[in-house]
Amino acid sequence: MKFSLNVDHVAVLRNARAEENPDPVTYALMAELYGVDGIVVHLREDRRHINERDVRLLREQLKTKLDLEMAAVPEIIDIACDVIPDLVTLVPEKREELTTEGGLNVIDNVELIKDTIDQLHDSDIPVSLFVEPDLNQIDAAAEINADLIEIHTGVYANAITEEDAFDELERIRQAAIHAKKLSLGVNAGHGLNYSNMKEFMAIQDIDEVSIGQAVIARSVFVGIEQAIKEMLNLINIK
Ligand code: PXP
């Protein structure tokens, strides 16, 4: 399983004082040195954390890969087609694009999402759709030529009882198996941390996890190198 680091929260801290530090680009380059397989940023319409300068500099400087999370809106699609990240992950930013839990509602927004995928494919950008572990949503993603899905793991991460966590893990496992049968790549993320990764690692069909908050927060206490190495160790334990 690979590990991509989401550095949005570094930009949240920078923007809190409208200053230059901490710079998410510098953080991302250090994270690469310490072994992450890629960097994820979410360029939001409201630019609440990552901005265009960050995305363009990351595109220039990264040696691994850049996964640009974004909504299916014309302004951001134009930026993506200009920057050409290694992957675009389409995510919901507005309530009506959501399922109740948080992934994209591909079924109800099929035309908009298909048009967006087509535009990004015209620029040779592979596209992932952030979805719930729901087989119907995954079927819809495959039908409109998504290359990958990213399974939303927030329900698993927020489960209060062990039984609920186990049930959700099983849904994720079945969703990953289903997606693989449809020849989709399978990523996963949201709310994964140092405690819940151990059980999560038992799922075989996930190619990559995208983790932000837990690692950025831990690095405040132990430094970037140690925070990343601890997560890489967890992910690499079989
Ligand atoms: N994947 C997606 C699509 C996300 O939107 C986020 C949160 O920005 C993550 C993964 C990472 O979640 P977390 O910060 O909880 O690790």
Side-chain angles (χ1 to χ4, degrees), residues 51-101:
N51 60 37
E52 230 182 288
R53 164 264 183 205
D54 302 331
V55 175
R56 290 184 186 282
L57 265 181
L58 286 167
R59 170 70 295 175
E60 257 177 44
Q61 301 281 326
L62 288 181
K63 295 191 173 57
T64 54
K65 62 175 187 180
L66 174 62
D67 174 1
L68 180 63
E69 282 181 13
M70 51 176 262
V73 293
E75 184 214 353
I76 311 286
I77 296 169
D78 285 349
I79 294 172
C81 290
D82 189 38
V83 169
I84 319 275
D86 300 288
L87 177 69
V88 158
T89 300
L90 293 178
V91 297
E93 277 183 23
K94 296 198 178 81
R95 196 143 266 291
E96 60 269 23
E97 299 161 339
L98 290 176
T99 61
T100 41
E101 291 94 356

Side-chain angles (χ1 to χ4, degrees), residues 6 8-9 40 42 49 69 89 91 130 150 188-192 210-214:
N6 179 313
D8 291 350
H9 283 90
V40 187
H42 184 176
H49 35 61
E69 282 181 13
T89 300
V91 297
F130 182 56
E150 179 179 331
H190 203 90
L192 295 174
S210 164
I211 307 177
Q213 162 77 20

Side-chain angles (χ1 to χ4, degrees), residues 7-207:
V7 296
D8 291 350
H9 283 90
V10 182
V12 169
L13 193 55
R14 172 192 63 188
N15 295 4
R17 284 286 179 91
E19 289 179 1
E20 289 170 9
N21 284 307
D23 183 359
V25 177
T26 308
Y27 195 109
L29 294 174
M30 291 178 74
E32 274 195 330
L33 278 180
Y34 300 135
V36 302
D37 297 296
I39 297 295
V40 187
V41 289
H42 184 176
L43 184 66
R44 298 183 61 100
E45 278 184 274
D46 61 12
R47 307 295 197 273
R48 86 170 62 140
H49 35 61
I50 293 295
N51 60 37
E52 230 182 288
R53 164 264 183 205
D54 302 331
V55 175
R56 290 184 186 282
L57 265 181
L58 286 167
R59 170 70 295 175
E60 257 177 44
Q61 301 281 326
L62 288 181
K63 295 191 173 57
T64 54
K65 62 175 187 180
L66 174 62
D67 174 1
L68 180 63
E69 282 181 13
M70 51 176 262
V73 293
E75 184 214 353
I76 311 286
I77 296 169
D78 285 349
I79 294 172
C81 290
D82 189 38
V83 169
I84 319 275
D86 300 288
L87 177 69
V88 158
T89 300
L90 293 178
V91 297
E93 277 183 23
K94 296 198 178 81
R95 196 143 266 291
E96 60 269 23
E97 299 161 339
L98 290 176
T99 61
T100 41
E101 291 94 356
L104 268 178
N105 193 336
V106 185
I107 295 167
D108 285 358
N109 296 282
V110 74
E111 277 180 23
L112 170 71
I113 297 174
K114 183 183 184 310
D115 283 352
T116 307
I117 292 176
D118 289 347
Q119 277 187 66
L120 293 163
H121 279 171
D122 284 347
S123 295
D124 289 327
I125 305 167
V127 183
S128 175
L129 302 184
F130 182 56
V131 292
E132 295 304 313
D134 172 327
L135 305 191
N136 295 323
Q137 294 287 351
I138 294 168
D139 286 340
E143 271 163 31
I144 57 175
N145 288 330
D147 304 281
L148 294 83
I149 54 161
E150 179 179 331
I151 300 176
H152 178 223
T153 52
V155 177
Y156 163 65
N158 292 328
I160 296 181
T161 65
E162 265 183 38
E163 198 189 343
D164 285 351
F166 180 84
D167 288 350
E168 187 62 14
L169 214 48
E170 195 46 39
R171 275 183 82 208
I172 294 170
R173 187 194 319 277
Q174 294 305 332
I177 291 170
H178 187 70
K180 283 279 158 166
K181 280 192 195 143
L182 297 170
S183 303
L184 291 162
V186 183
N187 294 349
H190 203 90
L192 295 174
N193 61 38
Y194 296 90
S195 309
N196 62 26
M197 264 316 278
K198 192 159 174 268
E199 261 101 63
F200 193 79
M201 287 304 303
I203 302 183
Q204 301 285 329
D205 288 293
I206 292 181
D207 303 316

